[in-house]
Amino acid sequence: MFDLTGKVALVTGGSRGLGRAIALAFAGQGADVAVNYRGNAAAADEVATQIRGLGRRSLAIQGDTSAGREACEAIVKAAIDEFGTVDILVNNAGITRDNLLMRMDEEEWNDVLSTNLSGPFWMTRAIARPMLKARSGRIINMSSAAGRMGNPGQANYAAAKAGLIGLTKTTARELASRGITCNALAPGLIETDLTADMPAAATEALTTLTPLGYIGSVDDVAAAAVYLASDEARYVTGQVLGVDGGIVMGG
């Protein structure tokens, strides 16, 4: 596996699901990890405790990335104050507010765009200055297969995740000259709290569309994140890596 010894990672939405798996995978490969959470302090503290159990440093940082620039700057500052630097940022915090296009209201649209797209923008902006100064860094954005192919009932989510791909590519171009890479992961159907609430018929339909024919695990995504965060991925930037069982190919 890839060695992250001596690195410091900041994972937004790190208290559960994909964020939790990524935080623990990073720690397992030697990184210290700041675990950002919005509301569930107990869950975030539990992840931080597990990371410390692996012999790494960890800190749970409360902060709502959807709240805008100042909130995101405060999260980054708290991580740097604790660890001295942040080498890896994972923009993972996300929500769903599913509804059909003609039924979706303004709040459902705005909440998802604020969390899933604006949050990563402000987090990236906040981390860019210290990374530019260090002339190195890894930024990983959590997109989705929905952002590459669309999904009925998820106009807000798919739009945000597609926008995140555009943000990834632009960030990669703007920061590449300073040794900073920016890539996106685009998971397909992954077994998490979010997918557990999906109707069985929808889960079955998506599984049928997936060439490998089964639901992925959070560890599949975490392994890809470890690679993108590693030195071995130093020549990979502006890319969208689908961890989706083949449901999206090319494009």
Side-chain angles (χ1 to χ4, degrees), residues 1-236:
M1 206 57 172
F2 303 101
D3 187 10
L4 301 180
T5 301
K7 303 295 185 181
V8 176
L10 169 57
V11 181
T12 69
S15 65
R16 63 188 182 94
L18 289 174
R20 177 182 182 276
I22 291 169
L24 291 172
F26 282 174
Q29 299 308 311
D32 298 326
V33 187
V35 180
N36 161 253
Y37 70 98
R38 184 172 65 175
N40 194 337
D45 287 337
E46 190 268 337
V47 176
T49 298
Q50 286 192 47
I51 291 169
R52 288 190 285 268
L54 294 170
R56 307 311 311 164
R57 293 185 296 162
S58 186
L59 175 69
I61 301 174
Q62 194 281 329
D64 183 357
T65 60
S66 72
R69 184 182 70 184
E70 291 184 3
C72 292
E73 288 177 349
I75 294 168
V76 171
K77 183 178 185 301
I80 292 176
D81 285 348
E82 176 70 16
F83 299 105
T85 187
V86 171
D87 305 290
I88 305 157
L89 169 66
V90 180
N91 283 312
N92 168 75
I95 61 171
T96 56
R97 297 287 186 271
D98 295 353
N99 213 338
L100 294 174
L101 180 71
M102 297 304 294
R103 296 178 181 173
M104 187 171 291
D105 62 31
E106 187 174 3
E107 184 176 4
E108 290 167 335
W109 174 265
N110 288 338
D111 284 354
V112 170
L113 268 291
S114 294
T115 301
N116 296 14
L117 183 56
S118 295
F121 168 75
W122 291 116
M123 287 298 299
T124 297
R125 218 183 100 145
I127 204 67
R129 191 175 300 277
M131 283 187 174
L132 286 167
K133 186 175 180 180
R135 301 187 72 87
S136 68
R138 299 281 185 271
I139 300 170
I140 302 170
N141 292 324
M142 196 60 61
S143 184
S144 168
R148 304 174 77 189
M149 61 186 285
N151 199 29
Q154 290 194 317
N156 48 6
Y157 185 81
K161 294 300 187 179
L164 197 52
I165 291 172
L167 176 62
T168 297
K169 291 178 180 293
T170 299
T171 302
R173 289 187 181 278
E174 290 192 11
L175 304 184
S177 65
R178 296 296 184 93
I180 301 165
T181 68
C182 183
N183 294 286
L185 290 173
L189 188 60
I190 304 294
E191 192 170 357
T192 65
D193 293 343
L194 291 178
T195 55
D197 294 332
M198 289 176 60
T203 301
E204 183 177 348
L206 284 172
T207 303
T208 300
L209 289 172
T210 302
L212 285 179
Y214 61 90
I215 299 174
S217 77
V218 292
D219 292 334
D220 296 322
V221 181
V226 169
Y227 165 66
L228 290 177
S230 73
D231 289 342
E232 284 78 2
R234 64 186 179 275
Y235 203 55
V236 179

